C-alpha cells in the first residue's frame, strides 16, 4: 500500500506542475486573477513571516516588506499547486476510508447473518430434539402397555392350560 501511495503522490506532483505553470500564465493574462493571486501570495507571505518570527522569539510588530509581483505570482502558483495535491490526496484518503468502512460493514452484516442462521438452526434442532423426545416417550408407553398386555395374555394362557389339564384329569 505504501509504494502505491508514494507513486500516487509522485503522480499528483507531476500533474500539479503543469497546473502551476498554467496558473502563472493565467495570472499574466488576466489582471483580475493576477491581483487576486498576488494578494493571496502576499497574505500567505505575511502569515509565514509572522509565524517564523514568533517561533524564533523575534518581534512581530515589525513592518513586513511585500514580495515583488513575479515572486508573489510564482509563490501563489506553487501554493495552489500544492493545495491541489493535498486536496486530491485528502479526497483519496477519505474515499479509501469510506470504502474500507463499507467493506467492514458488509463483513459485519455477513457475520450477523451467519450468527442468525446458526441461532435458527439451533432453534430448529431444539424443536426436533423435543419432537424426538415426545416420540420416544410415546414408544416407551406403548412398550410398557404391550408388556402388560403380554403379561395378561400369558396369565390367561396359563389359566387356560391349567383349566384344560384340570378337565382331563
Amino acid at each position: 500500500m505504501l509504494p502505491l501511495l508514494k507513486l500516487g503522490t509522485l503522480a499528483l506532483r507531476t500533474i500539479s506542475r503543469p497546473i502551476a505553470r498554467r496558473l502563472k500564465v493565467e495570472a499574466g493574462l488576466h489582471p483580475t486573477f493576477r491581483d487576486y493571486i498576488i494578494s493571496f501570495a502576499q497574505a500567505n507571505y505575511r502569515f509565514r513571516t509572522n509565524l517564523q518570527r514568533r517561533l524564533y522569539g523575534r518581534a512581530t510588530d515589525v513592518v513586513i516588506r511585500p514580495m515583488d509581483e513575479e515572486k508573489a505570482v510564482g509563490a501563489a502558483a506553487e501554493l495552489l499547486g500544492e493545495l491541489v495535491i493535498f486536496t486530491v490526496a485528502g479526497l483519496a484518503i477519505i474515499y479509501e476510508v469510506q470504502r474500507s468502512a463499507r467493506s467492514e460493514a458488509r463483513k459485519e452484516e455477513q457475520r450477523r447473518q451467519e450468527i442468525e442462521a446458526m441461532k435458527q438452526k439451533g432453534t430448529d434442532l431444539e424443536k426436533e430434539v423435543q419432537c424426538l423426545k415426545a416420540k420416544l416417550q410415546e414408544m416407551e408407553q406403548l412398550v410398557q402397555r404391550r408388556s402388560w398386555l403380554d403379561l395378561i395374555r400369558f396369565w390367561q394362557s396359563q389359566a387356560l392350560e391349567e383349566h384344560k389339564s384340570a378337565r382331563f384329569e
Side-chain angles (χ1 to χ4, degrees), residues 41 46 57 62 79-80 87 92 94 110 117 142 151:
R46 283 190 300 274
V62 178
L79 184 64
L80 289 175
T87 300
I94 289 170
Q110 186 178 10
L142 286 173
L151 187 58

Side-chain angles (χ1 to χ4, degrees), residues 53-73:
R53 287 182 170 272
R54 284 188 188 132
L55 288 174
Y56 294 131
R58 296 184 183 157
T60 58
D61 58 349
V62 178
V63 176
I64 299 171
R65 291 181 308 156
M67 296 179 357
D68 68 342
E69 286 187 8
E70 291 307 313
K71 279 188 178 179
V73 169

Side-chain angles (χ1 to χ4, degrees), residues 144-160:
Q144 247 180 357
R145 279 190 222 137
R146 178 144 180 133
S147 297
W148 284 107
L149 287 174
D150 286 342
L151 187 58
I152 291 171
R153 285 186 189 139
F154 177 72
W155 286 340
Q156 284 177 350
S157 67
Q158 289 294 328
L160 279 174

Side-chain angles (χ1 to χ4, degrees), residues 2 4 10 14 33 39 56 59-60 64 66 74 80-81 97 102 111 116-117 143 159:
L2 190 59
L4 291 176
L10 181 62
T14 304
F33 182 65
S39 65
Y56 294 131
T60 58
I64 299 171
L80 289 175
V97 167
R102 284 191 303 266
R111 281 187 221 120
E116 283 298 318
V143 167

